[in-house]
Amino acid sequence: MLYKVLENSGLKSLLAGIMSGYELIGPKKLDRAIHDFSVIKDPSEIDLSYKKTTVPPAKKLLFPPSETLINYKLGEKISVTPVIDARQRVLFGVSAWDLNGMNFLDRIFSSDYPDSNYIARREKLIVIGYDAEPSETNFALSMGAEYASKGFDLFISNLGSRNFIRIATATGNSIINSFSNATEASHDDFVAYNRFMRNYRKKFTAIADMDQFGESYEATYNNNALWDKLAKNCFSCGSCNLVCPTCFCFNVRDDMMLNLKEGLKSREWDSCMMPEYGLVAGGHNFRSTRANRLKQRYRCKLKTFTEKFETYSCVGCGRCVEACLAKINIYEDISSIKKEVNV
Ligand code: SF4
Ligand code: SF4
């Protein structure tokens, strides 16, 4: 890792330089309170004061809501043409928790069943992180996701009049050297950065008490009254899955053209909170109740991957809390589950 500092005035030229060579995706204000990551045409469109975006930016680019995977033609031989839409892009201003969400998806899509579409896009994505402002429902600090140690080319922390930049890759170094006059970080810059991080961590006001949560979860696994209570208002709408930076389930479908000679295979995001998710041939549904679906979702987010990858598959972004019309709140439910065991 290399460390440099760049005056605020140099940030605009850095962005202009990046735009001269790459497609730039960054946070833009769309409405009074709505931000989203989209293609930037002018550096002034970027608004780094954003606190949240409805859809996680890295997931939207790397694992889009729907995509064609292959086209095929039937004949004496079946010909199959993979469809991979991957191009070089720079994702600028992504928060540490969304970056950690992307790091989780990187592992999912490159381990047991390597996913060529995801991997091709990821290899071409240049990532520039930024210490964004946490929203009031953000509990990333409790999930260890308020700081990113990998997955980025550059990471920018704004220290006031200047920016402290962590440079993690040769590509990041080349961007900084080509498009900015950043200088080596001094001892004082490191002191200021450490102070900044101490204060930054104080901004995370929502807390999830994860201490020995796995044991509490197992102890309440068969407590049907508790799970019925936690899930009783759930509409099974699936919004919590759709906004989550780490949810990775998808459905694959075949569409045959009318000529019956060609077709395509596509995929779209799926949701474990919807009743059809557990429906199998013969009409049996192995997750037929809201309570069972919520219980399994919490297992996936808070326990399964602590065993498999030694990490939660929840980065504490708080999006599911804000998206849920039934006001189901994952960090409040974590407390309820733990209290049930302690009584
Ligand atoms: S967003 Fe809320 S209501 Fe909708 S499925 Fe998730 S928990 Fe249930
Ligand atoms: S489960 Fe909720 S808080 Fe956790 S990463 Fe997903 S959307 Fe964010």
Side-chain angles (χ1 to χ4, degrees), residues 56 59 97-98 101-102 104-105 241 243-247 301 315 317 319:
K59 177 169 154 180
W97 47 91
D98 279 344
M102 180 191 72
F104 176 79
L105 290 183
N241 297 117
V243 298
C244 180
T246 61
C247 277
K301 293 289 152 203
V315 292
C317 70
R319 284 187 178 90

Side-chain angles (χ1 to χ4, degrees), residues 13-130:
S13 351
L14 172 67
L15 288 166
I18 293 171
M19 287 176 65
S20 67
Y22 303 94
E23 182 179 57
L24 180 67
I25 318 281
K28 263 164 86 165
K29 194 176 207 168
L30 302 185
D31 199 346
R32 201 167 51 87
I34 300 176
H35 284 83
D36 192 21
F37 279 74
S38 52
V39 176
I40 300 296
K41 301 270 187 259
D42 186 284
S44 63
E45 293 172 2
I46 290 190
D47 183 0
L48 286 169
S49 70
Y50 79 96
K51 285 192 169 182
K52 57 193 172 196
T53 59
T54 305
V55 181
K59 177 169 154 180
K60 189 166 82 163
L61 296 180
L62 298 169
F63 173 41
S66 66
E67 67 178 308
T68 301
L69 299 173
I70 56 167
N71 288 315
Y72 52 81
K73 282 190 181 146
L74 306 181
E76 272 183 39
K77 273 188 173 175
I78 299 175
S79 86
V80 175
T81 313
V83 181
I84 299 183
D85 171 21
R87 59 187 187 278
Q88 187 109 64
R89 292 183 283 200
V90 174
L91 176 60
F92 179 84
V94 62
S95 65
W97 47 91
D98 279 344
L99 233 157
N100 283 314
M102 180 191 72
N103 289 338
F104 176 79
L105 290 183
D106 285 356
R107 292 184 78 176
I108 287 289
F109 285 115
S110 61
S111 37
D112 295 346
Y113 303 98
D115 185 292
S116 0
N117 290 49
Y118 182 97
I119 292 169
R121 288 193 197 104
R122 181 66 185 93
E123 283 173 353
K124 285 186 179 283
L125 188 67
I126 297 168
V127 181
I128 303 182
Y130 182 78

